[in-house]
Amino acid sequence: MGLFGSRLGLYLLLLFAGVIWGATFSLALIATREGLHPIALTFSQALVGALILLSVCAAKHKLPSCSAENLKRYVVIAVLGTVLPGTLYFYAARHVPAGLLSITIAAVPILTYAASLLFNIDRWYLARVAGLVFGFSGMYLLAQPETLPDIGMLPWIGVAFFCTLCYTTENMYIELRLPMSIDMLPLLAGGLTVAAMLSFPIMIVVAEPTFIAPPFDHLDAILLALGLIGAVAYLIFLYLIRAAGAVFASMMAYVITLSGVGWGMLLFDEQHSTQVWMVLVLMITGMFLVTPNRQSGPEVNDPDPDRED
């Protein structure tokens, strides 16, 4: 099975990907403050990530298939996982502190478990239902004007929560519609390629085109970092969905949330009100309670059942 197929390996992957993914909120804040347009950020992140993963695919002789069925999968993953939530989060980064944006990501496992109940994928458990109560209470409190430093942030908190719905829908699509035998590497490479193709014409129309080119500066470094983090963390995330289920994989939001708050405090000296810390406690508690099989860890599946040991 190997380290990354074991329970310990799954938790290590979850921790690593969550910490680096949590940094993207702060990187986005820096980039947008420097004047980069959100759709340009989305395009650059998707393009860099696509080039990295396509190179890996080529080395492994596993380039994405262009069949009609796979093209549909790429479009769904591109829209729900990159273009729509990514661009909207980059817009929100102009108006909301990085720490607050990272807290909204905590809604993903809460919503994923709720959706799993809706589609009869998971069962009702008292502790997990309590987690839903804590999670939705935290979301409600965060959406109150008195919780935020500026009431003008309120619509953008709503935008951020809409992004979590996109990620939740993507989780359930992967869980319900994709065969267990599918290779996640070419799937993500195809999804990021389509995301770059979809966002490019939009960038040309609504923003000043942005490309990574010499002479390189700190903004180029940020764009490269966003692309690399997106590719690596997203691939780990999709792998975890197949290896341990959508609810466990969505628990990456636990790490993203805490690291995102930490990155914001470290890089921007962000200070949060008592209400915001209450929101964080409620959301973390909710995520903890909806965690599947907390005592024995995730139920490990073979993400590639056709693999010969």
Side-chain angles (χ1 to χ4, degrees), residues 10-303:
L10 293 177
Y11 278 117
L12 289 175
L13 287 174
L14 192 76
L15 178 63
F16 171 74
V19 169
I20 62 173
W21 214 339
T24 60
F25 299 100
S26 293
L27 292 174
L29 180 57
I30 295 172
T32 53
R33 282 181 176 178
E34 294 284 344
L36 290 183
H37 195 280
I39 191 63
L41 282 173
T42 299
F43 166 73
S44 296
Q45 183 181 41
L47 180 62
V48 171
L51 292 175
I52 291 171
L53 293 186
L54 286 173
S55 299
V56 176
C57 287
K60 292 179 172 290
H61 305 289
K62 292 183 176 182
L63 287 173
S65 167
C66 293
S67 66
E69 183 65 26
N70 279 331
L71 287 175
K72 181 178 73 173
R73 294 166 178 164
Y74 302 154
V75 170
V76 171
I77 288 176
V79 173
L80 293 178
T82 300
V83 177
L84 191 55
T87 303
L88 291 177
Y89 260 124
F90 289 143
Y91 268 109
R94 292 176 165 180
H95 308 277
V96 180
L100 288 184
L101 280 183
S102 67
I103 289 176
T104 65
I105 285 291
V108 176
I110 309 295
L111 295 173
T112 298
Y113 177 61
S116 296
L117 293 176
L118 181 65
F119 289 101
N120 293 318
I121 297 174
D122 216 326
R123 289 180 287 178
W124 294 84
Y125 295 97
L126 181 60
R128 296 192 195 179
V129 172
L132 294 181
V133 174
F134 278 101
F136 283 116
S137 297
M139 288 181 246
Y140 175 79
L141 181 58
L142 185 58
Q144 301 307 300
E146 58 269 20
T147 302
L148 303 173
D150 184 346
I151 194 173
M153 296 179 184
L154 186 57
W156 296 106
I157 291 295
V159 168
F161 278 130
F162 173 77
C163 294
T164 66
L165 286 174
C166 293
Y167 291 132
T168 300
T169 305
E170 181 194 26
N171 289 355
M172 301 315 299
Y173 173 79
I174 293 170
E175 180 95 347
L176 294 172
R177 302 300 299 272
L178 298 187
M180 285 295 297
S181 59
I182 196 167
D183 192 324
M184 304 307 289
L185 176 60
L187 176 69
L188 179 55
L192 287 176
T193 301
V194 171
M197 295 172 64
L198 291 175
S199 56
F200 177 74
I202 302 175
M203 179 183 68
I204 296 298
V205 172
V206 305
E208 179 180 351
T210 301
F211 304 98
I212 301 173
F216 300 110
D217 56 19
H218 68 286
L219 288 179
D220 292 305
I222 290 175
L223 293 176
L224 285 171
L226 284 171
L228 180 60
I229 290 172
V232 173
Y234 200 5
L235 182 58
I236 293 174
F237 176 70
L238 294 179
Y239 172 83
L240 290 175
I241 289 179
R242 306 322 306 268
V247 175
F248 175 78
S250 67
M251 292 306 297
M252 188 182 294
Y254 185 100
V255 185
I256 295 173
T257 297
L258 293 176
S259 66
V261 172
W263 284 114
M265 296 174 68
L266 177 65
L267 298 178
F268 304 109
D269 195 28
E270 292 182 352
Q271 304 295 321
H272 301 296
S273 67
T274 301
Q275 292 95 326
V276 170
W277 288 114
M278 289 176 60
V279 170
L280 181 61
V281 170
L282 286 170
M283 300 295 281
I284 293 298
T285 302
M287 286 192 291
F288 175 78
L289 290 174
V290 300
T291 306
N293 199 11
R294 292 191 304 276
Q295 292 183 345
S296 58
E299 181 177 349
V300 179
N301 303 316
D302 186 345

